[in-house]
PDB file of all heavy atoms in Angstrom:
ATOM      1  N   GLN R  28     -11.417  82.437 -75.921  1.00  0.00           N
ATOM      2  CA  GLN R  28     -10.595  83.643 -75.996  1.00  0.00           C
ATOM      3  C   GLN R  28     -11.475  84.866 -76.242  1.00  0.00           C
ATOM      4  O   GLN R  28     -11.293  85.926 -75.626  1.00  0.00           O
ATOM      5  CB  GLN R  28      -9.563  83.502 -77.114  1.00  0.00           C
ATOM      6  CG  GLN R  28      -8.615  84.695 -77.230  1.00  0.00           C
ATOM      7  CD  GLN R  28      -7.737  84.864 -75.997  1.00  0.00           C
ATOM      8  OE1 GLN R  28      -7.340  83.884 -75.376  1.00  0.00           O
ATOM      9  NE2 GLN R  28      -7.435  86.111 -75.652  1.00  0.00           N
ATOM     10  N   VAL R  41     -19.753  98.805 -62.525  1.00  0.00           N
ATOM     11  CA  VAL R  41     -20.361 100.146 -62.433  1.00  0.00           C
ATOM     12  C   VAL R  41     -21.877 100.052 -62.578  1.00  0.00           C
ATOM     13  O   VAL R  41     -22.632 100.670 -61.814  1.00  0.00           O
ATOM     14  CB  VAL R  41     -19.770 101.077 -63.512  1.00  0.00           C
ATOM     15  CG1 VAL R  41     -20.563 102.381 -63.591  1.00  0.00           C
ATOM     16  CG2 VAL R  41     -18.305 101.362 -63.226  1.00  0.00           C
ATOM     17  N   SER R  51     -31.963 100.447 -53.607  1.00  0.00           N
ATOM     18  CA  SER R  51     -32.060 100.814 -52.190  1.00  0.00           C
ATOM     19  C   SER R  51     -32.851 102.109 -51.983  1.00  0.00           C
ATOM     20  O   SER R  51     -33.487 102.298 -50.952  1.00  0.00           O
ATOM     21  CB  SER R  51     -30.665 100.960 -51.583  1.00  0.00           C
ATOM     22  OG  SER R  51     -29.972 102.047 -52.163  1.00  0.00           O
ATOM     23  N   VAL R  58     -34.626  89.848 -50.730  1.00  0.00           N
ATOM     24  CA  VAL R  58     -34.059  88.703 -51.430  1.00  0.00           C
ATOM     25  C   VAL R  58     -34.012  87.525 -50.455  1.00  0.00           C
ATOM     26  O   VAL R  58     -33.369  87.603 -49.407  1.00  0.00           O
ATOM     27  CB  VAL R  58     -32.645  88.999 -51.967  1.00  0.00           C
ATOM     28  CG1 VAL R  58     -32.092  87.779 -52.702  1.00  0.00           C
ATOM     29  CG2 VAL R  58     -32.668  90.212 -52.902  1.00  0.00           C
ATOM     30  N   LEU R  93     -22.491  88.746 -64.331  1.00  0.00           N
ATOM     31  CA  LEU R  93     -23.267  87.751 -65.062  1.00  0.00           C
ATOM     32  C   LEU R  93     -23.202  87.920 -66.576  1.00  0.00           C
ATOM     33  O   LEU R  93     -23.058  89.020 -67.090  1.00  0.00           O
ATOM     34  CB  LEU R  93     -24.737  87.831 -64.629  1.00  0.00           C
ATOM     35  CG  LEU R  93     -25.012  87.669 -63.137  1.00  0.00           C
ATOM     36  CD1 LEU R  93     -26.454  88.052 -62.841  1.00  0.00           C
ATOM     37  CD2 LEU R  93     -24.744  86.225 -62.697  1.00  0.00           C
ATOM     38  N   VAL R 100     -34.178  91.322 -80.853  1.00  0.00           N
ATOM     39  CA  VAL R 100     -35.230  92.301 -81.143  1.00  0.00           C
ATOM     40  C   VAL R 100     -36.094  92.499 -79.898  1.00  0.00           C
ATOM     41  O   VAL R 100     -36.624  91.536 -79.354  1.00  0.00           O
ATOM     42  CB  VAL R 100     -36.112  91.828 -82.320  1.00  0.00           C
ATOM     43  CG1 VAL R 100     -37.204  92.855 -82.602  1.00  0.00           C
ATOM     44  CG2 VAL R 100     -35.257  91.587 -83.561  1.00  0.00           C
ATOM     45  N   ALA R 104     -39.880  97.156 -75.789  1.00  0.00           N
ATOM     46  CA  ALA R 104     -39.127  97.577 -74.607  1.00  0.00           C
ATOM     47  C   ALA R 104     -38.951  99.084 -74.591  1.00  0.00           C
ATOM     48  O   ALA R 104     -38.729  99.704 -75.636  1.00  0.00           O
ATOM     49  CB  ALA R 104     -37.765  96.900 -74.589  1.00  0.00           C
ATOM     50  N   ARG R 106     -37.041 102.576 -74.282  1.00  0.00           N
ATOM     51  CA  ARG R 106     -35.726 102.875 -74.870  1.00  0.00           C
ATOM     52  C   ARG R 106     -34.584 102.619 -73.893  1.00  0.00           C
ATOM     53  O   ARG R 106     -33.544 102.078 -74.256  1.00  0.00           O
ATOM     54  CB  ARG R 106     -35.691 104.328 -75.341  1.00  0.00           C
ATOM     55  CG  ARG R 106     -34.382 104.722 -75.999  1.00  0.00           C
ATOM     56  CD  ARG R 106     -34.465 106.087 -76.637  1.00  0.00           C
ATOM     57  NE  ARG R 106     -35.439 106.100 -77.711  1.00  0.00           N
ATOM     58  CZ  ARG R 106     -35.706 107.183 -78.439  1.00  0.00           C
ATOM     59  NH1 ARG R 106     -35.086 108.330 -78.192  1.00  0.00           N
ATOM     60  NH2 ARG R 106     -36.595 107.129 -79.416  1.00  0.00           N
ATOM     61  N   GLN R 122     -35.247  84.794 -82.355  1.00  0.00           N
ATOM     62  CA  GLN R 122     -36.146  83.652 -82.356  1.00  0.00           C
ATOM     63  C   GLN R 122     -36.344  83.157 -83.790  1.00  0.00           C
ATOM     64  O   GLN R 122     -36.541  83.928 -84.715  1.00  0.00           O
ATOM     65  CB  GLN R 122     -37.499  84.033 -81.740  1.00  0.00           C
ATOM     66  CG  GLN R 122     -37.411  84.565 -80.317  1.00  0.00           C
ATOM     67  CD  GLN R 122     -36.861  83.545 -79.332  1.00  0.00           C
ATOM     68  OE1 GLN R 122     -36.877  82.344 -79.617  1.00  0.00           O
ATOM     69  NE2 GLN R 122     -36.391  84.010 -78.193  1.00  0.00           N
ATOM     70  N   PRO R 147     -36.403  81.331 -69.746  1.00  0.00           N
ATOM     71  CA  PRO R 147     -36.903  80.238 -70.586  1.00  0.00           C
ATOM     72  C   PRO R 147     -38.096  80.602 -71.473  1.00  0.00           C
ATOM     73  O   PRO R 147     -38.236  80.045 -72.561  1.00  0.00           O
ATOM     74  CB  PRO R 147     -37.304  79.164 -69.562  1.00  0.00           C
ATOM     75  CG  PRO R 147     -36.491  79.471 -68.351  1.00  0.00           C
ATOM     76  CD  PRO R 147     -36.350  80.957 -68.323  1.00  0.00           C
ATOM     77  N   PRO R 155     -49.741  84.700 -65.735  1.00  0.00           N
ATOM     78  CA  PRO R 155     -48.843  83.711 -65.140  1.00  0.00           C
ATOM     79  C   PRO R 155     -47.797  83.186 -66.123  1.00  0.00           C
ATOM     80  O   PRO R 155     -47.719  83.635 -67.251  1.00  0.00           O
ATOM     81  CB  PRO R 155     -49.812  82.593 -64.730  1.00  0.00           C
ATOM     82  CG  PRO R 155     -50.892  82.669 -65.766  1.00  0.00           C
ATOM     83  CD  PRO R 155     -51.065  84.132 -66.061  1.00  0.00           C
ATOM     84  N   LEU R 160     -39.623  78.101 -74.108  1.00  0.00           N
ATOM     85  CA  LEU R 160     -39.035  77.839 -75.417  1.00  0.00           C
ATOM     86  C   LEU R 160     -37.880  76.844 -75.236  1.00  0.00           C
ATOM     87  O   LEU R 160     -37.429  76.615 -74.103  1.00  0.00           O
ATOM     88  CB  LEU R 160     -38.545  79.155 -76.024  1.00  0.00           C
ATOM     89  CG  LEU R 160     -39.628  80.204 -76.325  1.00  0.00           C
ATOM     90  CD1 LEU R 160     -39.002  81.479 -76.871  1.00  0.00           C
ATOM     91  CD2 LEU R 160     -40.661  79.667 -77.297  1.00  0.00           C
ATOM     92  N   ALA R 163     -33.385  77.283 -73.025  1.00  0.00           N
ATOM     93  CA  ALA R 163     -32.827  77.021 -71.689  1.00  0.00           C
ATOM     94  C   ALA R 163     -32.648  75.529 -71.451  1.00  0.00           C
ATOM     95  O   ALA R 163     -31.614  75.088 -70.921  1.00  0.00           O
ATOM     96  CB  ALA R 163     -33.741  77.632 -70.619  1.00  0.00           C
ATOM     97  N   HIS R 184     -46.692  96.046 -60.470  1.00  0.00           N
ATOM     98  CA  HIS R 184     -46.080  95.653 -61.741  1.00  0.00           C
ATOM     99  C   HIS R 184     -44.954  96.607 -62.147  1.00  0.00           C
ATOM    100  O   HIS R 184     -44.901  97.111 -63.258  1.00  0.00           O
ATOM    101  CB  HIS R 184     -47.146  95.568 -62.835  1.00  0.00           C
ATOM    102  CG  HIS R 184     -46.706  94.789 -64.047  1.00  0.00           C
ATOM    103  ND1 HIS R 184     -46.275  93.471 -63.984  1.00  0.00           N
ATOM    104  CD2 HIS R 184     -46.618  95.149 -65.350  1.00  0.00           C
ATOM    105  CE1 HIS R 184     -45.950  93.061 -65.185  1.00  0.00           C
ATOM    106  NE2 HIS R 184     -46.149  94.046 -66.037  1.00  0.00           N
ATOM    107  N   ILE R 211     -29.379  67.963 -65.421  1.00  0.00           N
ATOM    108  CA  ILE R 211     -30.521  67.200 -65.913  1.00  0.00           C
ATOM    109  C   ILE R 211     -29.984  66.068 -66.791  1.00  0.00           C
ATOM    110  O   ILE R 211     -29.236  66.323 -67.742  1.00  0.00           O
ATOM    111  CB  ILE R 211     -31.477  68.105 -66.715  1.00  0.00           C
ATOM    112  CG1 ILE R 211     -31.978  69.250 -65.829  1.00  0.00           C
ATOM    113  CG2 ILE R 211     -32.652  67.296 -67.252  1.00  0.00           C
ATOM    114  CD1 ILE R 211     -32.852  70.251 -66.554  1.00  0.00           C
ATOM    115  N   ALA R 237     -42.468  77.280 -58.348  1.00  0.00           N
ATOM    116  CA  ALA R 237     -42.470  77.027 -56.902  1.00  0.00           C
ATOM    117  C   ALA R 237     -42.009  78.241 -56.102  1.00  0.00           C
ATOM    118  O   ALA R 237     -42.271  78.328 -54.895  1.00  0.00           O
ATOM    119  CB  ALA R 237     -41.585  75.828 -56.592  1.00  0.00           C
ATOM    120  N   PRO R 240     -45.754  83.477 -56.171  1.00  0.00           N
ATOM    121  CA  PRO R 240     -47.098  83.367 -55.592  1.00  0.00           C
ATOM    122  C   PRO R 240     -47.994  82.518 -56.487  1.00  0.00           C
ATOM    123  O   PRO R 240     -47.792  82.452 -57.713  1.00  0.00           O
ATOM    124  CB  PRO R 240     -47.583  84.827 -55.551  1.00  0.00           C
ATOM    125  CG  PRO R 240     -46.339  85.647 -55.543  1.00  0.00           C
ATOM    126  CD  PRO R 240     -45.341  84.883 -56.366  1.00  0.00           C
ATOM    127  N   ASP R 242     -50.860  82.728 -57.868  1.00  0.00           N
ATOM    128  CA  ASP R 242     -51.529  83.325 -59.022  1.00  0.00           C
ATOM    129  C   ASP R 242     -50.622  83.425 -60.242  1.00  0.00           C
ATOM    130  O   ASP R 242     -51.107  83.588 -61.371  1.00  0.00           O
ATOM    131  CB  ASP R 242     -52.058  84.718 -58.679  1.00  0.00           C
ATOM    132  CG  ASP R 242     -53.229  84.674 -57.713  1.00  0.00           C
ATOM    133  OD1 ASP R 242     -53.794  83.572 -57.527  1.00  0.00           O
ATOM    134  OD2 ASP R 242     -53.581  85.729 -57.145  1.00  0.00           O
TER     135      ASP R 242
END
Side-chain angles (χ1 to χ4, degrees):
Q28 182 64 34
V41 170
S51 66
V58 180
L93 304 169
V100 180
R106 182 171 297 180
Q122 302 297 341
L160 296 178
H184 197 57
I211 301 176
D242 290 346

